[in-house]
Amino acid sequence: MVPASKNIAEGAVCAVIGLALRLFTEDVHIPVFTLTKVGVVLMAVGGIQLLYGVYQTFSARSAE
């Protein structure tokens, strides 16, 4: 897999997992951190990774 498509796939997976954590774990309480906040962080990281993959795709096309 080329790095751009790998970043896009990983970003999409992180964003979906983060969204699932954000939506479905409000009632789960663990001592160290809340899973809803972990979901928000995963969505942010996934979104950044998605944008970076798209950037890599378009910058590779313009360099050709």
Side-chain angles (χ1 to χ4, degrees):
M1 203 183 296
V2 294
S5 62
K6 182 179 176 185
N7 282 335
I8 291 172
E10 287 177 359
V13 169
C14 280
V16 168
I17 290 172
L19 181 64
L21 284 174
R22 175 68 180 103
L23 292 176
F24 301 116
T25 60
E26 290 186 24
D27 295 333
V28 179
H29 299 287
I30 54 176
V32 180
F33 48 81
T34 60
L35 292 177
T36 54
K37 290 181 183 176
V38 172
V40 170
V41 170
L42 274 175
M43 285 190 298
V45 169
I48 291 169
Q49 200 166 10
L50 267 168
L51 290 175
Y52 184 62
V54 170
Y55 168 75
Q56 283 179 326
T57 301
F58 285 119
S59 67
R61 286 184 185 169
S62 64
E64 291 177 354

